[in-house]
């Protein structure tokens, strides 16, 4: 019997990540080459027309797996029966905006979307938040969806993970496929910690193949500040690479992987405070993320994991203070 289509909702569908993402979803790259999909495009009213234009282009591709498209400005419609929600649309920081203003503006988006997911999504709903500040936006949405298992809310650090693979591969002059067990810890921000003490290249620990000064002064800041470097170079934030990472995250979540990085609700593992949505080394088994356990954390890593977790705790305290969770 033919499989019934999986409903995928993309918010911010008329934005630049949306444009890089939707065609790949419709072609089967998000879930698998044999899984039909139904797309729901959520936008703010002023951008619905642009999203309709993208929907026309999706039609014009005649994707065999695409069984339908809806475009709406109503979250209750967009998330009705949704199986996978990609929360991309967010309020960007503009000149003169304080962090509290940014969190407040995003609370106004992710709170109602979390509630709409709670009230209307399918029982197997999986949520990936891409819109920044992604980890805390995911927490806000999660806190408005008490009936959805908390672990279904995740945030994207896969782009950071892929950036780390690529930087290390270039340094060691190896294909990215030779690198195993890469890990990003913490927040999708400049405090994130890309960890080479567990990454392996050809069976050797990556940190032992590079000098400490490169690891500390070049590798970590290059990965952590890559988003800002892209903005500086393109005049706009990363889009196709962000869409690519979202595809990787959901594909692995659904289809399984032995090791990658994803921001998921902390259960207190590795001393990361429970409840914050923080990046960990994860496997996906039977459709669920699991934190990889038993890694030894040296003093160098400890300091950096703690610093990023502290930043996430501060963001959580700020959104609590603002009454957003
Ligand atoms: P963009 O400005 O091109 O598009 C954002 C879209 O979201 C716009 O079309 C806007 O109308 C829409 N939108 C705003 N509020 C909405 C709402 N309440 N409901 C539905 N849609 C809404 O931005 P972009 O380049 O596509 O980036 C989107 C977000 O992703 C930004 O927050 C960016 O910082 C973030 N980002 C995250 C990562 C990551 O690795 N986690 C990487 C790159 C970008
Ligand atoms: C990225 O990592 O490319 C983005 O999160 C940067 C940004 O601030 O949008």
């Amino acid at each position: 019997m033919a499989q019934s289509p999986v409903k995928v909702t993309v918010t911010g569908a008329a934005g630049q990540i949306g444009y890089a993402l939707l065609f790949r979803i419709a072609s089967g790259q998000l879930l698998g080459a044999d899984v039909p999909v139904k797309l729901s495009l959520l936008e703010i009213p002023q951008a619905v027309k642009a999203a309709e234009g993208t929907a026309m282009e999706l039609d014009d591709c005649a994707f065999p797996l695409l069984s339908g498209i809806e475009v709406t400005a109503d979250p209750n419609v967009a998330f009705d029966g949704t199986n996978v929600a990609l929360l991309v649309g967010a309020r960007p920081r503009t000149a003169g905006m304080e962090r509290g203003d940014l969190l407040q503006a995003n609370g106004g988006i992710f709170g109602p979307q979390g509630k709409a997911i709670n009230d209307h999504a399918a029982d197997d709903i999986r949520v990936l938040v891409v819109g920044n500040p992604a980890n805390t936006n995911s927490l806000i949405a999660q806190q408005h969806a008490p009936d959805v298992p908390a672990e279904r809310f995740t945030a994207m650090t896969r782009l950071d993970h892929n950036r780390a693979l690529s930087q290390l591969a270039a340094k060691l002059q190896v294909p990215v496929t030779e690198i195993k067990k890469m890990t990003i810890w913490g927040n999708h921000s400049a405090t994130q910690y890309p960890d080479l003490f567990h990454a392996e290249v050809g069976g050797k620990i990556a940190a032992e193949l590079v000098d400490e000064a490169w690891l500390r002064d070049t590798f970590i800041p290059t990965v952590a500040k890559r988003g800002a470097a892209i903005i500086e170079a393109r005049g706009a934030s990363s889009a196709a690479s962000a869409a690519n990472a979202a595809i990787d995250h959901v594909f692995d979540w659904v289809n399984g992987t032995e090791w990658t990085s994803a921001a998921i609700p902390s259960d207190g593992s590795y001393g990361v405070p429970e409840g914050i949505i923080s990046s960990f080394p994860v496997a996906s088994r039977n459709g669920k993320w699991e934190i990889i356990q038993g890694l030894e954390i040296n003093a160098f890593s400890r300091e950096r994991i703690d610093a990023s977790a502290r930043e996430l705790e501060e963001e959580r305290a700020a959104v609590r203070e603002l009454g957003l969770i």
Side-chain angles (χ1 to χ4, degrees), residues 51-319:
E52 283 169 352
T54 306
M56 288 161 70
E57 282 205 74
L58 284 160
D59 275 337
D60 294 350
C61 294
F63 286 116
L65 290 173
L66 186 57
S67 79
I69 312 172
E70 75 186 4
V71 181
T72 178
D74 182 349
N76 294 322
V77 172
F79 294 115
D80 188 31
T82 291
N83 308 100
V84 178
L86 301 173
L87 307 189
V88 178
R91 173 71 198 274
R93 189 194 289 266
T94 42
M97 206 173 186
E98 299 296 331
R99 194 171 73 153
D101 299 334
L102 183 70
L103 291 170
Q104 181 95 53
N106 278 301
I109 296 173
F110 289 87
Q113 289 183 0
K115 179 161 185 351
I117 287 170
N118 188 67
D119 294 349
H120 302 288
D123 287 347
D124 67 347
I125 178 71
R126 289 180 168 89
V127 182
L128 170 63
V129 176
V130 174
N132 282 319
N135 302 53
T136 296
N137 286 341
S138 187
L139 181 71
I140 293 170
Q142 181 209 56
Q143 294 296 305
H144 287 77
D147 303 332
V148 176
E151 73 272 12
R152 304 285 186 77
F153 284 85
T154 68
M156 191 166 93
T157 52
R158 185 60 173 265
L159 178 53
D160 311 296
H161 178 100
N162 289 344
R163 288 167 170 164
L165 288 177
S166 176
Q167 292 297 322
L168 182 64
K171 170 74 175 172
L172 296 177
Q173 295 284 293
V174 298
V176 284
T177 48
E178 278 204 25
I179 305 173
K180 311 287 178 211
K181 303 188 178 177
M182 181 61 79
T183 299
I184 303 291
W185 299 87
N187 200 1
H188 173 67
S189 76
T191 70
Q192 67 177 266
Y193 173 50
D195 175 0
L196 293 189
F197 292 95
H198 301 101
E200 294 176 5
V201 182
K204 298 199 176 87
I205 295 295
E208 290 167 10
L209 300 174
V210 298
D211 59 86
E212 196 189 317
W214 181 81
L215 192 164
R216 190 187 52 235
D217 302 330
T218 302
F219 174 73
I220 294 175
T222 299
V223 173
K225 295 181 187 162
R226 185 72 163 181
I230 303 273
I231 291 171
E232 168 73 20
R234 288 182 84 228
S237 63
S238 62
S241 57
N244 179 66
I247 297 268
D248 286 349
H249 177 112
V250 174
F251 186 91
D252 284 351
W253 191 356
V254 172
N255 294 295
T257 183
E258 284 309 304
W259 194 304
T260 189
S261 306
I264 65 172
S266 176
D267 62 359
S269 293
Y270 297 105
V272 176
E274 206 175 329
I276 58 173
I277 296 186
S278 179
S279 190
F280 286 97
V282 291
S284 170
R285 301 196 183 101
N286 304 316
K288 287 186 174 173
W289 291 120
E290 294 173 11
I291 297 172
I292 291 166
Q293 298 294 340
L295 304 179
E296 265 183 45
I297 306 297
N298 62 20
F300 183 94
S301 298
R302 185 76 269 159
E303 192 185 317
R304 286 162 178 80
I305 293 169
D306 288 350
S308 201
R310 221 168 16 249
E311 182 181 55
L312 283 169
E313 278 193 292
E314 285 165 14
E315 288 183 15
R316 177 170 65 181
V319 293

